[in-house]
Amino acid sequence: MKTSEYSKHIEYWTLDRNITFLNHGSFGATPLKIMAKQNYYRELMENEPVDFFVNKMPELLNESKGKLAKFIGVDNNDIVFVQNTTTGVNQILTSFPYKSGDEWLVTSHAYGACMNAIKHFAHRNNIVLKIADIPFPVKNDEEILNAIGQMISSKTKLALIDHITSATGMIFPIKEVIDLLHDHGIKVLVDGAHAPGMVDLDIIGLDADIYVGNCHKWMCAPKGSAFMHVKKEFKEFIKPLVISHFNDTDINGDSYWSNQFMWDGTHDFSQYICVGDTIQFMNSLQPGGWKGIMDHNHKLAWQGANLIAQRLNIELPLEEKFIGSMVNIPMPDGEEGFPKFNETSPLKKVLFEKYKIEVPVFFFPSAPTQWLRISAQLYNSLEQYEYLGECLESLK
Ligand SMILES: Cc1ncc(COP(=O)(O)O)c(C=O)c1O
């Protein structure tokens, strides 16, 4: 069986040409030019570490954050860099005010690490955690809103809601969910790990109380770059995990809150500094800039998934409106047992070892029901999904 070719955009990435990489969703992939830029910042740091950390770095960081703020349409003083969404979510959960007996809400589609975090903090603080069981496949927004609505009570204070889910690759009707929760006076923490760079993100329009998103997934920034956006009225109690320098800078000014997060001790800040460069560089890769990238990736993912579904004579679980640039494809039941994070299921293993295809397999809601989740990024080609379909057919 022949392997498949990437699109011409592969020239901008260092991805292994011998692997059919259909999993941008898990950890993103950073273009070569941005890797070079990151090395440049690292060299700048090592050429004169003191001048770098004292003079250059704060300015570079602020400039990059400013570009990110513009990209997601928020005030630069209302966002801070964090290493990843997991850290951001933990940061919020550990700061969020509570009293014993409060209720928090999460859905059954929450990402494993964030589900563990909310379970941990709820248990530690004697908060009752309600899990809204959202079906999958889901037919319409009402099914999602009803499942969440059923778990709301007068004691519910905080909800952790995914914007785009991980194991089910689904765009939630996030604005409607936020409005529903707000109608009951519940604060909303959005896990937007996949959203920046996959969908046109309007955090202010969504009215999310707190929004955490990754730059290292669909924006293609270097690993370890993410952000937290916090509405002004919540800044008072959302504090950094690490109390450090700049905790007392501009105390009565607009930058007081974001300053507190800036210096979590000495480390390599180059991935944060690269975020602004990545936004600019990616924008130049496709006619229509970022909008063009999002449209391209959505179309490719949807076309690719439909092509596979037709070939295997199966139905896709979701309507197109729930899809960004990841699509779940139903597979025959897999093994019993539930592979943990980074454990490889037999289907994933055979696709990788026999056919050199990198694509994740998820068990949802639990084993043995399994799904393949394909991703589409500029470097992928339709031919690669044809190849995956061909390989899956040969496994039948
Ligand atoms: C929905 C969701 N939330 C959170 C995360 C965690 O992201 P990170 O590992 O960058 O913290 C992921 C990762 O795939 C995710 O899909």
Side-chain angles (χ1 to χ4, degrees):
M1 191 174 301
K2 67 177 176 55
T3 55
S4 59
E5 296 284 326
Y6 282 95
S7 82
K8 65 177 172 35
H9 275 105
I10 192 65
E11 67 174 290
Y12 298 108
W13 273 267
T14 178
L15 289 162
D16 187 339
R17 277 38 171 188
N18 296 315
I19 306 245
T20 301
F21 190 78
L22 301 177
N23 187 9
H24 191 89
S26 280
F27 304 110
T30 298
L32 280 155
K33 279 219 167 119
I34 300 301
M35 290 164 67
K37 202 77 206 238
Q38 186 171 22
N39 279 341
Y40 163 77
Y41 292 126
R42 285 175 170 153
E43 276 172 25
L44 212 58
M45 170 170 71
E46 296 308 341
N47 285 349
E48 220 296 27
V50 176
D51 179 47
F52 180 80
F53 280 110
V54 173
N55 300 315
K56 294 199 169 76
M57 191 279 272
E59 241 176 71
L60 287 167
L61 201 61
N62 201 42
E63 203 182 304
S64 177
K65 195 156 74 74
K67 286 180 187 158
L68 173 64
K70 203 163 161 220
F71 184 66
I72 55 176
V74 299
D75 183 332
N76 193 8
N77 288 317
D78 296 345
I79 53 167
V80 291
F81 281 122
V82 287
Q83 279 186 48
N84 47 52
T85 296
T86 308
T87 304
V89 165
N90 273 269
Q91 174 96 59
I92 303 301
L93 294 176
T94 194
S95 292
F96 201 83
Y98 65 90
K99 59 179 180 348
S100 179
D102 279 355
E103 289 181 10
W104 284 359
L105 195 158
V106 68
T107 84
S108 52
H109 291 236
Y111 180 70
C114 298
M115 181 66 105
N116 282 346
I118 198 166
K119 280 183 178 167
H120 167 81
F121 289 106
H123 179 73
R124 192 181 78 176
N125 300 334
N126 206 21
I127 293 160
V128 179
L129 184 64
K130 293 288 180 75
I131 302 179
D133 205 357
I134 295 174
F136 188 77
V138 71
K139 287 191 219 60
N140 49 43
D141 293 354
E142 283 64 44
E143 285 190 345
I144 298 173
L145 294 167
N146 287 342
I148 292 174
Q150 278 169 18
M151 286 298 137
I152 292 176
S153 86
S154 57
K155 292 182 185 163
T156 318
K157 295 292 185 290
L158 175 71
L160 168 62
I161 306 288
D162 291 40
H163 189 164
I164 301 171
T165 62
S166 172
T168 47
M170 169 166 65
I171 303 179
F172 267 16
I174 191 69
K175 174 73 181 132
E176 288 74 9
V177 174
I178 292 171
D179 288 349
L180 167 72
L181 292 160
H182 280 174
D183 285 348
H184 292 82
I186 300 163
K187 307 299 180 226
V188 189
L189 160 57
V190 178
D191 172 349
H194 285 280
M198 192 202 286
V199 293
D200 196 8
L201 185 54
D202 173 15
I203 293 182
I204 303 298
L206 288 180
D207 200 27
D209 299 300
I210 299 147
Y211 195 104
V212 185
N214 275 333
C215 306
H216 55 219
K217 280 192 194 286
W218 293 92
M219 288 171 65
C220 299
K223 309 284 176 279
S225 55
F227 68 87
M228 249 174 25
H229 178 266
V230 173
K231 269 189 188 170
K232 295 192 196 307
E233 59 261 45
F234 300 112
K235 286 178 169 178
E236 201 185 320
F237 55 80
I238 302 296
K239 294 290 168 200
L241 283 176
V242 177
I243 306 297
S244 181
H245 295 305
F246 305 109
N247 199 46
D248 47 5
T249 305
D250 193 23
I251 287 195
N252 297 313
D254 290 340
S255 68
Y256 173 53
W257 179 78
S258 57
N259 280 337
Q260 293 178 298
F261 290 79
M262 187 213 154
W263 183 269
D264 48 348
T266 309
H267 65 85
D268 183 358
F269 288 81
S270 58
Q271 75 278 22
Y272 296 162
I273 299 173
C274 281
V275 167
D277 298 308
T278 312
I279 292 170
Q280 266 173 315
F281 173 71
M282 290 292 292
N283 193 54
S284 72
L285 288 188
Q286 185 74 359
W290 272 102
K291 168 100 178 57
I293 294 176
M294 293 175 202
D295 287 350
H296 168 278
N297 292 348
H298 167 74
K299 276 196 200 114
L300 184 58
W302 187 241
Q303 259 184 307
N306 277 284
L307 212 136
I308 295 169
Q310 272 162 19
R311 179 164 205 140
L312 302 179
N313 199 21
I314 51 178
E315 265 187 45
L316 294 176
L318 296 173
E319 278 180 24
E320 188 174 358
K321 73 163 194 158
F322 289 107
I323 297 300
S325 35
M326 302 190 292
V327 191
N328 268 26
I329 299 170
M331 290 287 112
D333 279 357
E335 305 268 301
E336 285 292 346
F338 206 102
K340 294 199 170 57
F341 180 66
N342 275 358
E343 269 180 17
T344 305
S345 69
L347 175 60
K348 184 175 182 323
K349 196 170 153 80
V350 74
L351 285 170
F352 187 76
E353 288 182 358
K354 190 163 175 199
Y355 302 112
K356 298 275 175 273
I357 300 175
E358 184 62 76
V359 64
V361 173
F362 290 102
F363 291 84
F364 193 89
S366 58
T369 307
Q370 63 177 351
W371 309 85
L372 270 192
R373 189 192 70 190
I374 58 163
S375 287
Q377 184 48 278
L378 288 181
Y379 50 75
N380 291 123
S381 70
L382 199 55
E383 195 191 322
Q384 295 185 301
Y385 306 96
E386 270 168 27
Y387 172 61
L388 172 60
E390 208 180 312
C391 297
L392 288 168
E393 196 169 39
S394 74
L395 288 175
K396 268 186 172 177

